[in-house]
Amino acid sequence: QSRVVTGKVTASEDGTALPGVSVSLKGTSRGVTTTADGSYKISIDNGAALQFSFVGYKPQTISVGSQSTINVVLVADAAELSEVVVTALGLTRTKNSLPYAAQQVKGDELTRVRTGNAFSALSGRVAGLQITQGNAIGGSTNVVIRGNKSLTGNNQALFVVDGVPVDNTNKNTANQQTGRGGYDYGNAAADINPDDIESMTVLKGAAATALYGSRASNGVIMITSKKAKKGLGLTINAGLTVGTIDKSTFATYQNQYGAGYSDPYQKDGFLYFDANGDGTKDLVINTAEDASYGTKFNPALMVYQWDSFDPAGPNYLKAKPYTAALNTPAKFYETAISNNVNVQLDGATDQGTFKLGYTRNDERGTLPNSNVSKNIMNLAGSYNISKKVTASAAANFSVIEGKGRYGSGYSGLNVNQNFRQWYQTNVDILDQKEAYFRNQQNVTWNWSDPSSAAGLKPIYTDNYYWTRYQNYQNDTRSRLFGNAMVNYKAADFLNFMGRVTVDTYNEFQEERIAVGSQGVPAYSRFDRTFQELNYDLMGNFDKEILTGLNLKALAGLNLRKSYIRSISAATNGGLIVPGLYSIANSRGTVSAPTENYNPREVFGVFGGLTFTYKDFLTLDGTIRQDKSSTLPVANNAYLYYAGSASWLFSHHIEDLPWLTSGKLRMNYATVGNDAPWGSIKNVYDKPDPFGSTILFSAPSTQNNPFLKPEQTQSKEIGLEMAFLQNRLGFDFTYYHTNTLDQILPASVSSATGFSSTYVNAGNIENKGFEVSLYASPIKTADFSWNVNVNWTKNSSLVLSLYNDSKNLQLATFQGGVSLNASVGQPYGILQGKTWKYVNGQKLVKSNGRYDVTATTTNNIGNVNPDWIGGINNSFKYKNVTLNFLIDMKRGGSVFSLDQYYGQATGVYPESVVVNDKGNPSRSPVAEGGGVIMPGVLADGSVNTIRVENDYGTFGYAQNPAAAFVYDASYIKLREANIVYSLPSSIVRKLGGVKGVDLSVFGRNLWIIQKYVPYADPEENLSSGNLQGNQSGAYPTTRSIGFNIKLLF
Amino acid sequence: CTEDISQLNIETKRPAAVPAPTLFSNAVKTISGSLASPSVNTNVFRFTVSHWAMSTYQDEAQYDFATRNIPQGWWTSMYRDVIADLRESAKLINADASLLPAEKANKLAIIDIMEVYTYSILVNTFGNIPYSESLNPAILFPKYDDAKTVSTDLINRLNADITKINTSAAGFASAEDLIYKGSVAKWLKFANTLRMKIGMVQADVDANVAKSAVEASDAGAISSAADNGLFTYMAASPNQNPLYVDIVLGGRSDYIAAKDLMDKLLGWNDPRTSAFFTPNNAGVYAGGIVGKGNTYVDFSRAGTKIIDASAPCVLADYVETEFLRAEAKERGFNVAGTAESHYNNAIRASIIYWGGSAADADAYLAQASVAYTTAAGDWKQKIGTQKWIALYNRPYEGWVELRRLDQPKISAPVGAKSGFPTRLTYAANEQTLNGTNYTAAASAIGGDVVTTKLYWDKF
């Protein structure tokens, strides 16, 4: 006998109606959802029970009895341990039964502060996850979970969006990554729409990710996109952000001495020739000398400067007072502006769901003429073909366009190379600006030889505005990723899924150097296509097979087919027609374009069993075999497995009021990995022909037809506890991984004829602790305070390399510095010249300068932090929420090429210190100037030798690279935001609008502590394994924005 | 399925098989590039021998070889980029059953001559070097061989190559042979000059080895400028002279003439001065002090003849051969002619090579301070000084001769980081990768520092 029950569902925290709540009849598939005012109507049978469930709220089950009206108050779900967590392959698990570490972050946490890249916002929010990001516009984000495991391979986490692995390759060139110039094009995961993220789950260990196959050995960031809700929903976000450079991360200039290299030149530190044609010789600043160790400024002294030789300029043939520039290069940086609009439309009925979204993010950087824009569209839908069969598809299409990305590293295309290293403090940057804009000509301060007409060309640097407006790059990447899927629910306990996923993008990059520049005019282009298809077939079984014992089983197949196809071409020897950027405009014979075609196929078979006994004991086992095309046929299949257990021990302790829950978990897993493409068989290189003579060359890396798969072994143990009704809780994990038999191009003596040879060798160990803490110290009806703390300590150790070799050079940087994996050391040791010591004191030579090792193989730094952490606070008072995130890193070293050179050239205030006698140290020793380098002489006595403070005294020429390795620790107020939600009483009056949120946010607001002078300790050149090197570092952009969010 | 999957690993854009001569040509181009280059990252010997000075950045001029890993660059380019390609070329030629035996023998001999040439640079740069175990894919960490043993073997190999060469059979095709355009006979002369040179390097420690090598080579060695082994660059990119690429295209304006050389040129009114250098802004020739800051506009710069895009790189020439013959006479070896005549021939050939006339040469030689009989000092000083000038733009060779003849005495750079470098330290990689063998070699030669003298460097 059936009858109708009605009622209304409201939220416990503010009593407002909850629309879209699912109301279902227990034990049947019958159900309805609440309407906009929270009411529902459902017909039931006698004795039935109703289940109420809604995302973010605790579900409730109510026996109906004889009532005809049932009003329900849903309580927001703060119970971390009963959360549902999305795990590998999109399977959901309750956190209670999860036997491995997985940390979830809600999408709105990441998008409260609106940036173009959701992953940079993860910094400090997840234990075990280290995020490093540079300050360049659209630059790459380094995402490493639990340390670098592979010596030379990829160590970045795998990104998966709704089951689609999304390629995150970083194509920055080796030169770019080692600081020798080029652009940071960012990594490809930046194409994921931050506004479409419901939640991110970070799967950290191999046991959690083994089902994903070999690519997941570095951990997985699983992204679940927003799901359509019943009814029709429309969300609009619009925001504007402005940013300026954080001056503590940029150079400060001394203003007492001008151009020169401690050289008298032709007269008194100047050139001396007739500059204005009046027949008498004049003092002229030596424009070719890119340093500031010259003559002391003297406003009474009239000198000819670079602009005295600019016929279009107001100072042509005129002298100016010899003074420090009024406007330093800090003025070169502009206000960054970005705007962001996002529209999401979604809806669902019993028949299916749909979702449509569009996001546009337009970002103008702090450098002139820089812009990165993103247009992202997404469409997803599902249709319930029958009660048992559901079909669904989702597609994301994005177009990213960049223009004028920041040049990086030691290159004229990076303005910071000069600003931080080679600059004349007498050059006024705004004068340079006017000089360029007058006629759009390359009027540099750095004339090669101002005394001759032929010398009026740049010797080292172009006018920086010329660089930004003429020698810019541009790029586009258009991308499609998505899936099509059919689900067949054969029975309540048995489900089959077939799916095809695709991820494909085309990218195009153009770089140019204009005719009239210091460098050889050039144009180059790079075209690359990536495509990956995955075919998945999976069966899932989930049933209580004995009383209290649940079995989940799965079995599946995965076929992955991918390829990379690329071509790059460049002009040679200059351009013919100025301003024409085409390969055909090459002055010299064009080199053959470089082509690549790297197809790959991996076939995987996998299965898993999970036994759960009475919700407190879980045993989990997975196994997978992959067969990869990149390995030699004889060794191309590899099997790996994981075993895990979790025990909810609080289940047995019922009578402790302060203990909410407690869980112990442990697991062990191995993951195999295949070889990089093309590492089996040798092929030849083809240099440019010499005229009609064809040239080939033997490769510098010897490939290996006997490679076998590499293996990561990982162990993990964790404890999760919650107290006081979930007001307090923690998650503690200890992990230990070893990556063995690594496939790597091991460096060998080049007397072999090769630089490296592919081998299976090496063992890196990573072990560490992860702690997440959460607490709600205050929780009242009107006011609440929540705090989240994440802390990670990872220790890496290189246990072995190939054979007897003790060191693997990962990269060489400038300054004789290299990054290495050394046996017995953490992965990522900086080596270079250091001081010689006597009794632990720096040794000073008899000339008063430091004695420096001749060798460059001394350990001078370790790029790994001692620990990283984040503290996230959230205060809520009625409709106002304040959040702020403090992000911390302790330890880890960075080498600053900027200081290495910049301290030598005397641009920084350190070079004009007052000496121990109270005199200006730049004055000659004979006049009471000079400095005494702290240290001891060979006999152990304290050094008292006074030396001239001249070019190189504090920089590279007289000091080892070790002097410029800094502690990269920082504490940052990473972000803060205030959100005000209009009270529903007001919103109702607006008509049609369900909610209005106004927010003000800031990012990179304050670097509370750091030790790297004049730079952001976090600034890097690129994502990837080559960290710990700053060269032409960009200042941090401190941004503040406003956003309005409308829900309809 | 297995079959299909393995197909995906086949490289479709780069070849697994190539014509053998292309690797030989590439090796020749690479070694010429290394010898010609003025890059501060690889070939800084122009400063070491005081031919050039720097206006601003003094590090390499002050003997800092470590910061830019110069030994590593030099070592790797010789082994990996030159010898490896020569070996690969020889391997493919050996395997080619279609070649006529005499042609095959000629090609293999020519490849071997270039390999000996390259090894002689390595052994005279570093001392003991990997040799018997080098270039073997199965030995990734080769042992080092004694430098003298290596040099002796190099002479033996040249002996064999010289015997094998058949001047009536073909060698490489003209386009493949970037030095002699296919002339086997000229390669034979090149080999003799090379043997003479490698032999003479040992004259102070083993006069017999030097004597037999020089005497065996005298008649067959380079006998005129027409026999010069030149690698001639092209006017068009990307095959221009590395000096042009660095200085003209790259816009480097900080290399200047060194005072030591300029003073000699000016003192003897040398007709090569205007070819070697350009005048400063004031129109006069001036050389800067090595290691000290020098105002660029006040000094002479590299001459237009050497920074010409298509200027050649000299691998072996008549000038050095004649100087060797002059020296041989002085050492009492049995070669034709007199020391004076060879000395005059060498200087005359050098002046003419640099664009001077016979009359210029005569006038130069007529000066009492230049003429062999009246010039200052013993034969080492006379030959050493003139050879040092004539080896302008052959900086590596100039460095060998400075160490060997100890003449002329050049000024130490201001702010020198060490004494005069009598070798380069081993590549930094060798220390960390090939540690056991490296340590043994370092101790065998007397320490891996730049001031360790090589076994032949007695004085």
Side-chain angles (χ1 to χ4, degrees):
Chain A
Q1 189 184 346
S2 77
R3 62 193 176 85
V4 172
V5 172
T6 58
K8 187 171 176 180
V9 182
T10 53
S12 70
E13 68 267 29
D14 57 1
T16 55
L18 284 176
V21 176
S22 150
V23 183
S24 61
L25 206 55
K26 192 175 181 184
T28 73
S29 60
R30 217 177 325 149
V32 296
T33 49
T34 55
T35 56
D37 65 352
S39 62
Y40 69 93
K41 186 177 182 181
I42 188 167
S43 64
I44 60 158
D45 303 318
N46 271 341
L50 285 178
Q51 287 178 317
F52 296 83
S53 57
F54 191 55
V55 176
Y57 289 84
K58 282 184 181 167
Q60 282 190 32
T61 304
I62 293 174
S63 296
V64 178
S66 58
Q67 297 145 280
S68 58
T69 305
I70 300 179
N71 292 330
V72 176
V73 179
L74 287 182
V75 180
D77 188 2
E80 297 276 336
L81 286 185
S82 61
E83 250 182 71
V84 170
V85 176
V86 183
T87 65
L89 301 175
L91 304 172
T92 54
R93 288 279 191 87
T94 61
K95 218 175 172 196
N96 268 339
S97 66
L98 202 62
Y100 38 74
Q103 201 169 343
Q104 198 158 327
V105 181
K106 292 264 177 279
D108 17 313
E109 270 188 71
L110 304 174
T111 52
R112 264 187 222 131
V113 171
R114 303 194 66 79
T115 60
N117 183 340
F119 307 107
S120 57
L122 278 173
S123 189
R125 292 189 197 275
V126 179
L129 176 65
Q130 193 189 353
I131 304 268
T132 318
Q133 51 204 317
N135 292 316
I137 188 173
S140 49
T141 307
N142 197 45
V143 181
V144 176
I145 298 174
R146 292 184 176 172
N148 289 308
K149 295 167 197 73
S150 174
L151 286 162
T152 57
N154 177 36
N155 281 303
Q156 304 288 306
L158 174 71
F159 287 85
V160 176
V161 178
D162 292 337
V164 184
V166 174
D167 182 67
N168 188 31
T169 307
N170 178 319
K171 275 93 44 194
N172 293 339
T173 62
N175 271 346
Q176 195 281 333
Q177 297 193 36
T178 55
R180 287 165 173 100
Y183 298 95
D184 179 3
Y185 281 98
N187 32 7
D191 298 349
I192 297 168
N193 185 355
D195 286 307
D196 192 31
I197 297 175
E198 177 68 36
S199 69
M200 285 200 212
T201 306
V202 181
L203 302 176
K204 302 167 189 176
T209 65
L211 282 179
Y212 270 116
S214 40
R215 285 188 296 180
S217 55
N218 297 315
V220 177
I221 297 187
M222 296 256 328
I223 292 157
T224 307
S225 68
K226 289 188 172 154
K227 296 287 168 283
K229 296 188 182 74
K230 287 268 167 93
L232 195 63
L234 174 64
T235 308
I236 297 174
N237 263 297
L240 182 75
T241 309
V242 295
T244 52
I245 63 165
D246 177 342
K247 294 237 169 90
S248 77
T249 60
F250 191 64
T252 304
Y253 298 84
Q254 56 87 3
N255 57 5
Q256 299 177 40
Y257 297 83
Y261 273 96
S262 301
D263 195 303
Y265 301 114
Q266 291 173 320
K267 184 176 162 62
D268 305 335
F270 295 94
L271 296 178
Y272 194 54
F273 62 89
D274 180 7
N276 57 1
D278 67 357
T280 57
K281 289 190 173 184
D282 306 293
L283 291 178
V284 180
I285 284 178
N286 194 338
T287 54
E289 299 280 273
D290 48 358
S292 295
Y293 255 107
T295 306
K296 195 168 176 43
F297 285 127
N298 174 7
L301 188 68
M302 298 298 283
V303 298
Y304 288 78
Q305 301 222 20
W306 59 271
D307 54 355
S308 309
F309 305 93
D310 172 14
N315 283 315
Y316 185 53
L317 304 183
K318 287 184 197 154
K320 280 203 301 201
Y322 181 52
T323 60
L326 201 58
N327 298 296
T328 73
K331 292 266 171 69
F332 189 76
Y333 288 89
E334 301 177 341
T335 301
I337 296 179
S338 65
N339 58 67
N340 185 308
V341 178
N342 156 248
V343 181
Q344 291 274 356
L345 183 66
D346 68 77
T349 68
D350 290 341
Q351 288 299 309
T353 65
F354 88 100
K355 185 179 67 173
L356 183 63
Y358 171 70
T359 297
R360 178 175 171 84
N361 185 66
D362 199 17
E363 190 179 355
R364 198 177 87 190
T366 52
L367 281 190
N369 198 30
S370 61
N371 186 281
V372 172
S373 72
K374 288 187 194 181
N375 280 284
I376 307 177
M377 283 148 273
N378 58 279
L379 173 65
S382 67
Y383 185 71
N384 301 328
I385 295 167
S386 72
K387 279 186 179 166
K388 293 190 166 180
V389 182
T390 308
S392 65
N396 275 269
F397 179 69
S398 60
V399 179
I400 294 194
E401 292 179 293
K403 182 183 170 193
R405 287 179 194 265
Y406 303 176
S408 75
Y410 196 82
S411 155
L413 297 171
N414 176 358
V415 294
N416 275 310
Q417 183 208 9
N418 272 213
F419 293 169
R420 291 181 179 276
Q421 301 172 11
W422 313 99
Y423 198 68
Q424 293 184 351
T425 48
N426 44 280
V427 174
D428 190 308
I429 197 74
L430 295 186
D431 288 348
Q432 279 277 286
K433 184 178 190 175
E434 284 168 22
Y436 168 72
F437 280 108
R438 216 168 274 128
N439 296 308
Q440 278 85 44
Q441 292 298 306
N442 189 10
V443 181
T444 176
W445 60 266
N446 195 209
W447 300 125
S448 180
D449 172 8
S451 68
S452 72
L456 292 179
K457 59 176 188 190
I459 175 168
Y460 304 115
T461 183
D462 296 317
N463 181 305
Y464 309 111
Y465 292 90
W466 169 275
T467 302
R468 294 298 310 160
Y469 285 94
Q470 301 290 334
N471 296 343
Y472 61 90
Q473 62 72 240
N474 59 285
D475 58 278
T476 62
R477 179 171 63 232
S478 52
R479 180 173 198 157
L480 177 74
F481 67 85
N483 65 77
M485 177 161 90
V486 174
N487 239 300
Y488 173 59
K489 202 173 174 64
D492 273 352
F493 56 86
L494 189 59
N495 187 59
F496 293 97
M497 184 270 278
R499 179 173 64 190
V500 181
T501 74
V502 62
D503 176 18
T504 182
Y505 58 85
N506 286 298
E507 56 191 337
F508 172 53
Q509 298 167 358
E510 286 182 298
E511 297 178 10
R512 51 178 72 66
I513 293 175
V515 174
S517 302
Q518 188 272 341
V520 179
Y523 167 74
S524 64
R525 63 177 288 165
F526 175 59
D527 295 75
R528 181 175 182 271
T529 302
F530 170 86
Q531 184 184 294
E532 176 175 317
L533 294 171
N534 278 280
Y535 303 89
D536 297 308
L537 197 60
M538 190 164 68
N540 268 298
F541 173 92
D542 185 349
K543 193 171 169 42
E544 190 165 324
I545 49 171
L546 294 167
T547 312
L549 181 67
N550 174 277
L551 169 66
K552 290 186 176 69
L554 83 133
L557 306 171
N558 166 252
L559 174 62
R560 162 155 66 104
K561 298 176 94 148
S562 65
Y563 70 79
I564 295 164
R565 198 192 293 277
S566 70
I567 184 165
S568 59
T571 59
N572 215 331
L575 296 174
I576 303 164
V577 178
L580 178 64
Y581 298 104
S582 72
I583 299 295
N585 196 30
S586 174
R587 189 163 283 281
T589 309
V590 175
S591 307
T594 307
E595 293 174 89
N596 276 302
Y597 175 60
N598 303 347
R600 182 196 289 253
E601 199 171 301
V602 181
F603 181 64
V605 185
F606 54 87
L609 291 175
T610 304
F611 294 96
T612 310
Y613 181 64
K614 285 188 173 171
D615 287 338
F616 68 83
L617 199 62
T618 303
L619 292 174
D620 187 291
T622 60
I623 189 162
R624 177 165 174 139
Q625 192 208 43
D626 279 340
K627 186 185 255 190
S628 167
S629 67
T630 65
L631 285 163
V633 175
N635 296 323
N636 70 357
Y638 45 105
L639 191 71
Y640 46 95
Y641 55 89
S644 322
S646 88
W647 174 39
L648 189 70
F649 58 84
S650 57
H651 180 85
H652 310 289
I653 317 168
E654 298 282 343
D655 49 357
L656 284 180
W658 51 269
L659 179 70
T660 314
S661 63
K663 188 180 89 177
L664 195 64
R665 54 181 157 77
M666 57 206 303
N667 60 65
Y668 175 83
T670 67
V671 179
N673 207 347
D674 59 2
W677 196 90
S679 46
I680 298 178
K681 203 169 173 235
N682 283 349
V683 287
Y684 295 94
D685 295 328
K686 187 175 182 305
D688 286 329
F690 191 79
S692 58
T693 304
I694 304 304
L695 306 179
F696 278 102
S697 180
S700 55
T701 297
Q702 179 173 223
N703 287 339
N704 185 342
F706 305 107
L707 288 177
K708 53 185 191 189
E710 67 178 38
Q711 202 183 63
T712 299
Q713 296 173 350
S714 121
K715 291 177 278 208
E716 178 187 314
I717 182 162
L719 176 66
E720 290 165 47
M721 292 186 79
F723 309 95
L724 306 170
Q725 278 80 46
N726 275 316
R727 293 279 293 273
L728 187 67
F730 70 81
D731 182 338
F732 170 89
T733 307
Y734 172 77
Y735 61 87
H736 186 144
T737 65
N738 285 86
T739 308
L740 314 170
D741 284 338
Q742 300 199 22
I743 297 173
L744 72 147
S747 301
V748 296
S749 167
S750 39
T752 57
F754 296 101
S755 287
S756 52
T757 183
Y758 267 103
V759 290
N760 283 103
N763 183 353
I764 295 190
E765 177 181 271
N766 279 282
K767 53 188 179 186
F769 304 99
E770 293 161 0
V771 183
S772 309
L773 271 170
Y774 63 91
S776 307
I778 301 172
K779 197 170 181 181
T780 67
D782 283 344
F783 183 70
S784 65
W785 172 27
N786 286 300
V787 57
N788 254 292
V789 178
N790 292 295
W791 186 82
T792 310
K793 178 175 176 56
N794 181 67
S795 311
S796 104
L797 182 64
V798 178
L799 292 174
S800 69
L801 293 166
Y802 182 59
N803 274 13
D804 290 341
S805 62
K806 294 280 175 278
N807 194 69
L808 175 69
Q809 206 169 64
L810 305 170
T812 57
F813 304 141
Q814 275 167 280
V817 176
S818 59
L819 185 72
N820 303 272
S822 294
V823 173
Q825 298 281 344
Y827 176 86
I829 286 290
L830 292 169
Q831 294 185 350
K833 289 187 179 182
T834 187
W835 294 276
K836 288 184 185 168
Y837 289 93
V838 167
N839 306 329
Q841 304 284 309
K842 289 169 190 164
L843 175 61
V844 177
K845 292 184 289 188
S846 56
N847 67 0
R849 308 287 184 175
Y850 284 123
D851 202 355
V852 170
T853 58
T855 54
T856 54
T857 47
N858 315 286
N859 286 359
I860 58 173
N862 166 13
V863 302
N864 301 282
D866 300 334
W867 54 262
I868 54 175
I871 304 172
N872 195 11
N873 276 287
S874 175
F875 300 92
K876 185 168 183 194
Y877 177 71
K878 289 187 174 168
N879 292 333
V880 182
T881 313
L882 165 69
N883 298 290
F884 65 90
L885 173 67
I886 292 172
D887 194 358
M888 285 175 279
K889 182 173 116 170
R890 178 61 43 191
S893 320
V894 63
F895 169 68
S896 170
L897 191 75
D898 296 331
Q899 294 298 310
Y900 178 82
Y901 285 131
Q903 290 295 349
T905 59
V907 296
Y908 294 100
E910 285 84 349
S911 69
V912 295
V913 289
V914 170
N915 69 11
D916 57 312
K917 290 177 168 177
N919 297 330
S921 61
R922 287 239 194 145
S923 299
V925 172
E927 295 168 19
V931 288
I932 299 170
M933 306 315 285
V936 297
L937 299 171
D939 62 3
S941 64
V942 174
N943 173 42
T944 55
I945 302 168
R946 200 173 296 277
V947 292
E948 301 292 353
N949 176 5
D950 55 7
Y951 165 63
T953 296
F954 297 108
Y956 81 97
Q958 303 290 1
N959 297 275
F964 310 97
V965 173
Y966 300 94
D967 179 348
S969 300
Y970 62 76
I971 302 175
K972 290 183 173 187
L973 176 57
R974 177 74 70 185
E975 57 181 60
N977 60 77
I978 300 171
V979 183
Y980 175 65
S981 305
L982 255 59
S984 44
S985 54
I986 298 177
V987 172
R988 262 184 229 116
K989 290 175 191 158
L990 297 174
V993 183
K994 284 182 205 150
V996 178
D997 287 353
L998 303 172
S999 61
V1000 179
F1001 55 85
R1003 186 163 168 79
N1004 294 324
L1005 289 171
W1006 179 27
I1007 301 182
I1008 301 164
Q1009 191 184 58
K1010 73 176 177 88
Y1011 304 102
V1012 181
Y1014 310 114
D1016 182 347
E1018 204 185 351
E1019 166 73 350
N1020 63 358
L1021 288 154
S1022 171
S1023 64
N1025 297 347
L1026 311 183
Q1027 301 293 326
N1029 180 27
Q1030 288 194 353
S1031 172
Y1034 280 94
T1036 314
T1037 303
R1038 178 188 281 147
S1039 51
I1040 291 175
F1042 176 78
N1043 190 72
I1044 179 164
K1045 180 176 176 181
L1046 303 168
L1047 286 148
F1048 296 91
Chain B
C1 183
T2 302
E3 188 92 346
D4 283 339
I5 218 174
S6 72
Q7 295 297 309
L8 297 175
N9 219 6
I10 292 173
E11 173 67 86
T12 54
K13 298 294 177 186
R14 298 199 297 163
V18 297
T22 59
L23 292 146
F24 166 74
S25 309
N26 191 53
V28 167
K29 180 183 181 233
T30 305
I31 189 150
S32 304
S34 295
L35 293 171
S37 172
S39 165
V40 291
N41 292 307
T42 53
N43 184 349
V44 297
F45 299 123
R46 285 179 177 86
F47 309 112
T48 315
V49 300
S50 274
H51 284 173
W52 282 6
M54 269 290 202
S55 68
T56 307
Y57 315 104
Q58 305 300 338
D59 312 291
E60 289 71 37
Q62 291 171 338
Y63 305 152
D64 177 358
F65 301 100
T67 301
R68 290 182 189 272
N69 283 323
I70 287 160
Q72 180 83 54
W74 196 248
W75 172 282
T76 301
S77 121
M78 300 295 159
Y79 276 112
R80 187 195 70 190
D81 302 338
V82 180
I83 300 176
D85 281 358
L86 292 171
R87 286 286 171 97
E88 192 72 13
S89 185
K91 190 180 96 187
L92 299 179
I93 286 169
N94 253 323
D96 185 349
S98 70
L99 276 177
L100 294 172
E103 184 182 337
K104 181 184 273 192
N106 277 348
K107 285 180 171 171
L108 291 173
I110 290 166
I111 290 172
D112 198 56
I113 292 163
M114 280 312 296
E115 191 178 318
V116 169
Y117 185 90
T118 314
Y119 267 120
S120 78
I121 295 172
L122 282 166
V123 77
N124 292 333
T125 299
F126 298 102
N128 294 8
I129 50 166
Y131 182 73
S132 58
E133 290 189 353
S134 64
L135 278 299
N136 179 343
I139 304 177
L140 298 180
F141 303 101
K143 69 165 178 140
Y144 287 55
D145 294 284
D146 173 66
K148 183 160 194 326
T149 313
V150 173
S151 298
T152 306
D153 193 58
L154 294 179
I155 292 175
N156 290 340
R157 283 168 69 173
L158 287 174
N159 292 341
D161 294 333
I162 287 166
T163 317
K164 265 190 245 164
I165 282 185
N166 177 351
T167 53
S168 51
F172 285 102
S174 175
E176 294 160 357
D177 178 356
L178 294 170
I179 297 181
Y180 286 126
K181 308 286 170 233
S183 166
V184 176
K186 287 189 176 172
W187 275 108
L188 190 57
K189 295 195 170 191
F190 182 97
N192 276 291
T193 289
L194 180 58
R195 182 167 64 177
M196 194 184 259
K197 190 155 68 174
I198 297 173
M200 191 66 96
V201 166
Q202 307 188 58
D204 286 343
V205 285
D206 194 337
N208 290 332
V209 167
K211 182 172 158 65
S212 61
V214 172
E215 290 178 356
S217 308
D218 176 40
I222 290 174
S223 53
S224 81
D227 302 335
N228 286 352
L230 306 180
F231 185 93
T232 304
Y233 286 94
M234 298 181 166
S237 173
N239 292 311
Q240 296 138 327
N241 185 340
L243 288 130
Y244 172 85
V245 172
D246 206 25
I247 296 173
V248 180
L249 280 185
R252 261 211 103 119
S253 307
D254 55 349
Y255 301 143
I256 59 169
K259 188 171 187 314
D260 281 358
L261 178 58
M262 185 56 79
D263 287 355
K264 288 266 190 300
L265 296 176
L266 297 177
W268 292 327
N269 196 22
D270 198 307
R272 292 166 290 193
T273 310
S274 64
F276 285 7
F277 297 108
T278 59
N280 68 9
N281 279 21
V284 298
Y285 289 97
I289 290 169
V290 180
K292 178 190 156 298
N294 297 289
T295 306
Y296 182 71
V297 297
D298 289 344
F299 296 98
S300 298
R301 302 122 205 194
T304 48
K305 196 166 167 86
I306 73 162
I307 58 170
D308 184 68
S310 52
C313 170
V314 181
L315 281 87
D317 69 359
Y318 179 58
V319 176
E320 66 176 331
T321 314
E322 281 298 283
F323 275 124
L324 287 169
R325 287 181 174 123
E327 180 178 347
K329 289 304 288 186
E330 292 289 0
R331 289 186 184 270
F333 302 165
N334 183 23
V335 297
T338 63
E340 183 178 4
S341 66
H342 291 306
Y343 173 89
N344 289 346
N345 286 346
I347 293 171
R348 195 170 276 125
S350 175
I351 288 170
I352 288 168
Y353 174 85
W354 287 101
S357 64
D360 290 338
D362 290 342
Y364 182 75
L365 283 165
Q367 301 176 86
S369 50
V370 175
Y372 197 67
T373 48
T374 52
D378 58 5
W379 66 262
K380 273 196 175 181
Q381 186 177 341
K382 296 175 197 187
I383 294 174
T385 304
Q386 285 299 331
K387 195 168 185 181
W388 173 70
I389 297 171
L391 286 173
Y392 181 69
N393 210 30
R394 296 190 66 193
Y396 161 75
E397 296 293 348
W399 180 50
V400 175
E401 297 305 293
L402 262 188
R403 288 181 284 161
R404 199 172 69 73
L405 296 171
D406 304 293
Q407 287 292 345
K409 300 294 178 201
I410 60 164
S411 319
V414 174
K417 299 275 195 298
S418 71
F420 183 76
T422 44
R423 64 184 286 275
L424 290 186
T425 55
Y426 288 120
N429 264 359
E430 287 293 304
Q431 284 180 50
T432 52
L433 297 174
N434 196 9
T436 311
N437 294 317
Y438 161 84
T439 308
S443 99
I445 61 168
D448 183 27
V449 292
V450 292
T451 46
T452 298
K453 286 190 165 189
L454 298 187
Y455 75 96
W456 47 258
D457 192 1
K458 263 188 84 176
F459 303 109

